[in-house]
Amino acid sequence: MSTNSLAPGFVRSAAEVNEQIRALWMRAGGTLSAQERAEYELLVVEWAAAIRGEVVEAA
């Protein structure tokens, strides 16, 4: 995962995170290793936070 995504205050859009999730699955060929699974879980949490932020912004 990019170190930029771990910087305090750095926020990516849900679309950006979704693209990274898709790329991870493509690289993995549909089966995630333990390390890829951990990365996937972090990405899903980041994606969910981005979605919540976008919904709040829209409101």
Side-chain angles (χ1 to χ4, degrees):
M1 181 152 50
S2 164
T3 56
N4 287 344
S5 65
L6 301 177
F10 183 83
V11 179
R12 294 189 289 179
S13 71
E16 288 176 292
V17 179
N18 189 42
E19 282 302 312
Q20 193 167 0
I21 291 170
R22 289 175 184 270
L24 174 62
W25 277 104
M26 292 296 289
R27 283 192 316 271
T31 303
L32 300 176
S33 67
Q35 182 178 351
E36 290 165 330
R37 181 73 185 176
E39 181 180 353
Y40 172 74
E41 289 174 3
L42 289 173
L43 287 168
V44 168
V45 169
E46 184 181 355
W47 175 83
I51 287 290
R52 282 191 302 273
E54 290 172 11
V55 168
V56 168
E57 249 181 53

